[in-house]
Amino acid sequence: MNAKTKQDFEPVTEIKEGRKNVYAVLKVMKGNYWEEVIRGIKDGAAKADVNVYVGGVMKDGDWELQRDMVKELPGKKADAVILAPADSSNMTASAKTLREQKLPVFLVDTALSSNDYDAAFLTNNLEAGAEVCQQMVEQMKANGVKESEEATVLVHVSTLASTTIADRLNSIMANWGKFAPASWKIEHDYIINYGDEAGAVKLVTEKIKNTHNVKGIIACNNGSTNATVEAVMAAAAAAKDGSKPAQKLVNTGISMADKNNYKK
């Protein structure tokens, strides 16, 4: 059986005649983070007294399928669109077309490479990148890693096509040296799962085995975090030590809550 590639638009509110219709097109349709996003959309819909339909792709980065879903919206009598772009560059044309059709576009989670949107609700990714470096260093010290010993920290992402993740990565790389001892290195050869969460577990497992002195992993988005946790816990179980490996795992926190939102 082929894996499901998308979820067609489904109402997440009671549908009432005479109300405006808002369509949310998400870049991922599974995971705790996206459940929270949908919950927030539903809460906002109740306050705004609008009908809301939610759909999206299953695999992060599947922008072509997301583009095709966006093309359906004019025929669905949409009045506004909430978009979490699957690709910051390739989805700009879709957003531009929507606005040319007089449909307001509101971004969530991920920015576009253009200004073809009306408002954006995003994480401050540069601040988050610096914060995760500081937290990782503190966790490593708390778990007994000496400043004089060699240590490596891996970085796990789903895609490089998202400005959200790119900003987080750039900030992590720029800020690591501000917090970490010189002998603690961050791996520039990222683990990239391309939205394949099942395959990501294997990627993390292999990277740990093939990298010297891994002491921590930074996961930059929800799917990568889930796969990293699974891989680390499996390694812990295999080593019959369920605490120390897991304690070395620190994720950015930005996959759990967008705490530094702004509105354009």
Side-chain angles (χ1 to χ4, degrees), residues 54-74:
V54 174
V57 298
M58 294 297 179
K59 184 177 179 181
D60 194 1
D62 196 350
W63 69 269
E64 291 173 309
L65 184 55
Q66 189 183 50
R67 175 199 60 194
D68 293 342
M69 295 186 73
V70 170
K71 288 180 179 179
E72 301 173 12
L73 297 181

Side-chain angles (χ1 to χ4, degrees), residues 92-248:
T92 57
S94 297
K96 183 177 181 180
T97 299
L98 289 173
R99 297 185 82 216
E100 289 173 347
Q101 295 168 340
K102 307 304 180 183
L103 285 175
V105 175
F106 303 91
L107 302 183
V108 64
D109 179 82
T110 303
L112 286 170
S113 299
S114 70
N115 293 321
D116 295 300
Y117 57 90
D118 295 273
F121 301 87
L122 312 169
T123 303
N124 186 327
N125 296 301
L126 300 180
E127 182 178 315
E131 184 175 338
V132 73
C133 290
Q134 184 176 7
Q135 290 185 9
M136 176 60 81
V137 169
E138 290 175 356
Q139 282 282 2
M140 290 172 65
K141 290 179 178 178
N143 281 275
V145 182
K146 298 179 180 179
E147 294 190 28
S148 58
E149 69 177 288
E150 292 184 0
T152 301
V153 171
L154 305 178
V155 180
H156 186 193
V157 302
S158 62
T159 178
L160 297 178
S162 162
T163 57
T164 296
I165 292 179
D167 286 347
R168 293 172 189 174
L169 283 174
N170 289 337
S171 181
I172 289 168
M173 294 302 162
N175 284 286
W176 180 252
K178 296 179 182 178
F179 299 101
S183 58
W184 294 5
K185 306 299 183 182
I186 192 160
E187 178 60 68
H188 286 69
D189 184 14
Y190 312 132
I191 305 167
I192 309 173
N193 62 59
Y194 298 102
D196 181 2
E197 194 168 316
V201 176
K202 182 178 180 181
L203 290 176
V204 175
T205 301
E206 291 179 347
K207 190 70 173 180
I208 293 173
K209 289 181 179 179
N210 295 326
T211 306
H212 184 59
N213 286 334
V214 176
K215 300 297 184 182
I217 305 173
I218 295 174
C220 290
N221 62 290
N222 188 61
S224 299
T225 298
N226 293 338
T228 299
V229 170
E230 185 174 343
V232 171
M233 295 308 293
K240 296 182 179 180
D241 182 358
S243 57
K244 291 182 181 179
Q247 289 172 353
K248 292 184 175 66

